[in-house]
Amino acid sequence: MKQPFFLSRRALLKLLGALPAFFLLGSRVGAAPLPLTPDVPDHDDDDPTPSETEGPYFKPKSPERRSLREASVTGTALVVTGRVLSTSGAPVANALIDVWHCDAAGEYDNSGFKLRGHQYTDKDGRYRLETIVPGVYPGRTRHIHVKVQAPHQAVLTTQLYFPGDAGNARDGLYMRRLEMVYKAGEKEKTGLFDFVVRA
Ligand SMILES: [Fe+2]
């Protein structure tokens, strides 16, 4: 005859002690999934915005203005807005933002300052640029050139890209990290981008 399975008194007490925890865990699993392991923080947002080539069409001494729309400029209205932040996430006030881009036909104004302008961030590090969607020219995807400079710091020269643009995949300079994010529900097409600089 087989020996009946036998638990010592100590083992039995141990088992009974574990039962509430077992049922508690069991009921949680049944009711709702256990929370996932928290995400490991990703510090990408704190990394400085990557620099990119200036290209051949930068002109110094652009006019100070928040809107590049003037009578001779036609195209789809675009607002580009966001903040300049330090690598520790603090807003950078009075940072220079100098922008230049081609017109809707893909041409840069190299004799004047059409679609060129600079501005300074406000006390919360915010900027807002009113312009038009630039066209494209051979060899490049749609982009906006920008120089950003926190007070008394080095100039960051970079470019911004448009999400979902067909030319992005074919452009050797394009970086996903430099894509604007479209803000839904705005009256005008609005691209958001926060610059992160050493400040
Ligand atoms: Fe360009």
Side-chain angles (χ1 to χ4, degrees):
M1 200 177 156
K2 263 187 164 178
Q3 277 293 96
F5 182 68
F6 176 77
L7 285 172
S8 70
R9 184 183 155 82
R10 177 181 286 212
L12 188 64
L13 284 174
K14 218 170 158 183
L15 182 64
L16 287 174
L19 281 177
F22 174 80
F23 282 118
L24 184 65
L25 188 65
S27 67
R28 282 189 64 176
V29 169
L34 285 170
L36 297 172
T37 308
D39 281 341
V40 175
D42 177 355
H43 294 292
D44 275 2
D45 289 348
D46 300 336
D47 290 343
T49 301
S51 64
E52 288 226 302
T53 175
E54 178 178 285
Y57 303 122
F58 172 68
K59 274 179 73 170
K61 300 188 174 117
S62 70
E64 182 174 353
R65 52 183 176 177
R66 293 180 182 272
S67 176
L68 306 184
R69 297 176 196 159
E70 50 191 315
S72 60
V73 169
T74 54
T76 304
L78 172 72
V79 173
V80 182
T81 187
R83 289 182 298 169
V84 176
L85 302 169
S86 71
T87 48
S88 59
V92 180
N94 214 28
L96 168 76
I97 309 242
D98 196 351
V99 170
W100 71 106
H101 66 78
C102 66
D103 65 14
E107 301 283 340
Y108 284 87
D109 178 9
N110 294 312
S111 54
F113 287 95
K114 193 160 85 173
L115 296 172
R116 298 171 185 270
H118 73 270
Q119 61 180 279
Y120 296 90
T121 54
D122 69 11
K123 63 178 174 45
D124 300 315
R126 295 193 182 281
Y127 71 92
R128 179 186 164 91
L129 174 76
E130 294 180 0
T131 186
I132 56 141
V133 176
V136 288
Y137 55 90
R140 290 303 319 275
T141 191
R142 204 180 311 277
H143 62 280
I144 293 177
H145 295 270
V146 192
K147 285 182 184 282
V148 182
Q149 185 178 29
H152 315 295
Q153 298 293 324
V155 176
L156 164 72
T157 301
T158 191
Q159 303 185 24
L160 297 182
Y161 297 99
F162 292 74
D165 205 276
N168 289 347
R170 297 190 295 268
D171 188 305
L173 291 174
Y174 162 82
M175 275 190 231
R176 178 93 199 274
R177 174 75 178 75
L178 293 172
E179 258 190 16
M180 294 177 281
V181 174
Y182 288 136
K183 187 177 180 191
E186 294 294 304
K187 203 168 63 181
E188 295 179 340
K189 192 181 191 73
T190 299
L192 304 176
F193 194 87
D194 288 344
F195 296 95
V196 179
V197 295
R198 298 187 196 285

